[in-house]
Amino acid sequence: MMRKIIGSIVVILIITITFKTNVTHAVDKNATYIPVLMYHSFDGNPILQGINTNPKLFKEQLNLLKENGWTTITTDQLVKFQQGDFNLPEKSFMITIDDGYKSVYDNAFPILKELDMNAILFVITSHIESGERFEVQMSSWKQIKEMSDSGYLEIGNHTHDLHWRGNGNAKGYEAMVTSITKDGREISNTTRENIIVNDLTIAHKMITKNIGKEPKVFAYPYGSFDEISERAVKKAGYNISYSIIEDMNYPNEKPDRIKRFGINSKVSPENVLKKVTLNKK
């Protein structure tokens, strides 16, 4: 009887050891690149056609990413990743939202909370003050503070009053890169640099005063920059800035031209998934 019991135990041990030896354990992989998505408004306003994302579609886009294992990260995590001394989960990505329209508060914010995802909201402080941009309602400071206090949205600087184009709203005449004022006066590059520094400082102070936190990040209006504007942004205290260059972000890159993929209602959830999984290097 005892021999049978001992024999049974030996068989069980052999089976257990064999099973454990042959099991392939999942190995956690680290991210080799970080995609950043760029949104603007979240309603059907025809004035903002081209930068609108239907709220239902926005939720579907993020749901599909979440179902496929993608999780959001913060600016601090991205910068440490770019410095090459910080590991992130393989499927890490960022969400950014420009301008500060009220539809962000009404429609995007509840979805981000529901899905437990983080984002950065870059605000144009002069339009937050006036309450509208292109006759479209903006979020109020109270709403922006609520979003910031929730921990789901980081608030960034998108200039105070330099989000415009001259020469009849023509490309290439963005305020950050043209040496012409709103009223058509020509200015020197030195004057433009000073204007940018002063403008960003005004926005910085307004954001700090109204939400109780200093903004650490900046996004270029229309994604336009040159040597002068980049120097001015750094003089204003921003070493972390976001562009609209469409590509991935990799280790050992400086965080002063963070690349982003523009998303709107023309981009299906499946194509958003393709964008974040596209590794060009």
Side-chain angles (χ1 to χ4, degrees):
M1 183 69 177
M2 183 61 69
R3 287 181 179 178
K4 288 184 178 180
I5 293 173
I6 292 172
S8 298
I9 293 172
V10 171
V11 170
I12 292 170
L13 285 172
I14 292 171
I15 293 171
T16 302
I17 291 169
T18 302
F19 176 75
K20 286 186 175 181
T21 303
N22 289 305
V23 169
T24 301
H25 293 283
V27 177
D28 290 336
K29 294 183 179 179
N30 295 324
T32 56
Y33 64 90
I34 302 295
V36 180
L37 306 182
M38 175 180 64
Y39 291 90
H40 288 81
S41 62
F42 302 87
D43 57 24
N45 197 314
I47 295 176
L48 300 178
Q49 187 176 7
I51 60 171
N52 258 317
T53 304
N54 179 278
K56 181 175 179 291
L57 179 62
F58 178 60
K59 186 173 181 179
E60 290 172 354
Q61 290 169 347
L62 299 191
N63 258 326
L64 185 60
L65 292 175
K66 190 167 188 176
E67 288 168 3
N68 280 271
W70 288 86
T71 56
T72 53
I73 62 170
T74 64
T75 292
D76 286 342
Q77 291 173 314
L78 173 61
V79 171
K80 288 178 181 177
F81 167 83
Q82 288 185 309
Q83 291 170 344
D85 59 359
F86 188 74
N87 292 329
L88 289 169
E90 182 182 20
K91 294 183 176 181
S92 297
F93 79 108
M94 292 186 69
I95 300 169
T96 65
I97 305 169
D98 287 7
D99 301 342
Y101 296 104
K102 188 171 183 290
S103 61
V104 177
Y105 178 80
D106 291 339
N107 300 323
F109 179 43
I111 292 170
L112 291 169
K113 288 194 294 183
E114 180 184 343
L115 299 181
D116 194 27
M117 289 186 167
N118 297 94
I120 304 174
L121 174 61
F122 293 102
V123 297
I124 311 167
T125 55
S126 65
H127 292 296
I128 301 301
E129 288 286 295
S130 68
E132 61 87 25
R133 173 172 167 79
F134 302 132
E135 300 181 352
V136 177
Q137 191 173 2
M138 304 295 282
S139 298
S140 67
W141 282 119
K142 181 179 178 181
Q143 292 165 343
I144 293 169
K145 186 176 190 310
E146 180 185 336
M147 290 188 280
S148 173
D149 288 346
S150 74
Y152 285 101
L153 276 91
E154 176 184 359
I155 308 303
N157 191 332
H158 205 28
T159 75
H160 175 65
D161 191 27
L162 289 178
H163 201 317
W164 53 266
R165 284 185 172 125
N167 194 30
N169 199 36
K171 288 185 178 181
Y173 289 85
E174 292 81 9
M176 295 289 288
V177 297
T178 185
S179 293
I180 300 174
T181 63
K182 266 186 179 180
D183 57 9
R185 289 184 298 108
E186 290 190 11
I187 55 175
S188 68
N189 287 336
T190 300
T191 299
R192 172 161 64 95
E193 185 175 331
N194 291 333
I195 288 172
I196 294 171
V197 172
N198 291 335
D199 180 276
L200 267 60
T201 301
I202 291 170
H204 186 98
K205 290 179 179 179
M206 292 183 73
I207 294 169
T208 303
K209 175 184 175 183
N210 284 283
I211 71 167
K213 299 174 190 173
E214 287 191 76
K216 302 184 212 176
V217 292
F218 173 77
Y220 287 99
Y222 302 109
S224 295
F225 59 84
D226 60 7
E227 183 181 344
I228 293 162
S229 56
E230 283 192 302
R231 186 167 60 239
V233 169
K234 287 183 172 64
K235 278 188 178 180
Y238 291 93
N239 293 314
I240 306 169
S241 55
Y242 287 73
S243 72
I244 61 169
I245 299 168
E246 293 212 338
D247 200 351
M248 302 299 183
N249 298 281
Y250 297 90
N252 304 313
E253 291 181 332
K254 292 181 180 179
D256 57 357
R257 295 182 185 180
I258 294 171
K259 299 170 284 273
R260 301 189 286 172
F261 293 99
I263 307 296
N264 56 30
S265 283
K266 294 180 181 179
V267 185
S268 69
E270 291 75 20
N271 281 335
V272 172
L273 185 60
K274 285 181 182 178
K275 283 182 181 289
V276 301
T277 54
L278 176 63
N279 192 341
K280 294 182 179 179
K281 289 191 178 180

